[in-house]
Amino acid sequence: ANIVLVEGQPIRWSLTNYSLAEDDERQNALTLLLQAYFDSEVVAAAAIVRAVQQEFHASYPAKNFFVEEWSTAPAPLPLRPLGGYDNLIRDFGGGGDDDTEKKNQQAKAILHEYGIFCQSQILGGEEISELRQLADKAIHEVEAAITEHHPDIRIGQDFFVFSEIASRNLERFDLRLNAMSSSPISLAAIEFVDKHIRSQEKIESLLKEVLGGEGENDEIDYDVSLIYSRPGAITQNWHSD
């Protein structure tokens, strides 16, 4: 569907991919998120926003609309379904029963549709506690290293990117344990994944179904990372993950 032309080029709207989110910058105002496609590479984003804003005001003069562009990409950006992901992505694949192959196929389809699926009941309570301890130690180790070697960086306030860790929106961080190859804690965490997760047949069959890898020489390449937030992190209600 087209709502407006910008310099003769139509904005094409996806009427099936939309969502709702609270806008932190506008007192958590409930915001309708729409996905649109625009083919021209020379028109500034501000011109698109301005054209859509004018169209809304012309069509609904008695209402007050505020139009904003939140993100752009050279490919479609999936939006979180209105009801959330839980009922769509949970407990697919690797069920450990006679219907494992069917569940693996479902997991593959869900991954292609939403980019994520959730499989529960992989670890027991003691294993989760062990993993949490490894994660806390790895976080403490890398943040202590930043403080020691880069005292000018205010963790949680400044943006930074290293091979081991990068800030994601201030108080959110992405810690790549594979890049901390000299750390015993990092190696222990990677070993934990191999021992307690990759060793499970239901997980291995699920990964092979979703990602491939059937021959003896076919291996599934993966990284072990921690994505963690500290108090004060900005919410990402609109983000698909």
Side-chain angles (χ1 to χ4, degrees):
N2 298 333
I3 191 173
V4 67
L5 296 177
V6 181
E7 298 188 3
Q9 295 290 329
I11 298 176
R12 296 179 290 114
W13 298 87
S14 173
L15 300 183
T16 59
N17 191 9
Y18 61 92
S19 187
L20 293 171
E22 294 181 352
D23 190 345
D24 295 332
E25 298 180 356
R26 296 188 174 277
Q27 292 77 49
N28 294 326
L30 194 61
T31 302
L32 174 64
L33 305 181
L34 297 171
Q35 185 184 76
Y37 304 89
F38 191 69
D39 296 329
S40 176
E41 298 180 357
V42 297
V43 177
I48 299 176
V49 172
R50 185 167 54 250
V52 175
Q53 182 95 40
Q54 291 172 351
E55 180 68 23
F56 271 118
H57 285 168
S59 301
Y60 307 96
K63 296 183 178 294
N64 182 24
F65 289 96
F66 179 80
V67 178
E68 188 177 24
E69 182 182 63
W70 279 19
S71 185
T72 61
L77 290 173
L79 299 175
R80 184 181 65 177
L82 284 176
Y85 284 106
D86 278 359
N87 294 330
L88 300 172
I89 68 170
R90 187 167 296 281
D91 292 335
F92 287 97
D97 54 25
D98 296 336
D99 210 20
T100 295
E101 183 176 351
K102 180 180 179 180
K103 286 189 174 183
N104 286 349
Q105 289 291 336
Q106 290 176 322
K108 185 176 182 178
I110 291 297
L111 183 65
H112 288 169
E113 176 70 19
Y114 299 108
I116 185 174
F117 64 84
C118 175
Q119 174 59 51
S120 61
Q121 299 180 344
I122 294 176
L123 300 176
E126 293 183 1
E127 294 166 335
I128 292 175
S129 178
E130 179 183 349
L131 182 59
R132 177 57 190 263
Q133 291 180 38
L134 289 171
D136 288 343
K137 291 178 180 178
I139 292 170
H140 175 77
E141 182 178 280
V142 74
E143 291 188 356
I146 293 175
T147 300
E148 178 182 356
H149 298 290
H150 301 276
D152 55 312
I153 293 179
R154 299 169 299 171
I155 300 176
Q157 300 181 51
D158 297 330
F159 287 99
F160 58 85
V161 177
F162 298 105
S163 59
E164 300 87 354
I165 186 172
S167 59
R168 300 280 186 246
N169 205 351
L170 301 182
E171 294 286 5
R172 183 174 290 106
F173 307 91
D174 186 354
L175 172 56
R176 298 178 59 243
L177 297 180
N178 292 71
M180 300 171 59
S181 57
S182 61
S183 167
I185 297 174
S186 175
L187 295 176
I190 296 172
E191 181 182 351
F192 179 95
V193 172
D194 286 332
K195 179 180 178 181
H196 296 289
I197 300 176
R198 291 295 307 276
S199 63
Q200 297 187 41
E201 177 58 32
K202 65 178 182 179
I203 300 301
E204 196 66 14
S205 66
L206 171 61
L207 292 177
K208 287 182 178 180
E209 178 65 43
V210 171
L211 302 177
E214 296 295 334
E216 293 183 0
N217 296 326
D218 291 332
E219 296 183 357
I220 297 175
D221 189 20
Y222 67 97
D223 288 334
V224 179
S225 300
L226 298 174
I227 298 179
Y228 67 98
S229 301
R230 305 197 309 184
I234 300 174
T235 57
Q236 292 182 307
N237 292 331
W238 69 275
H239 207 284
S240 62
D241 66 354

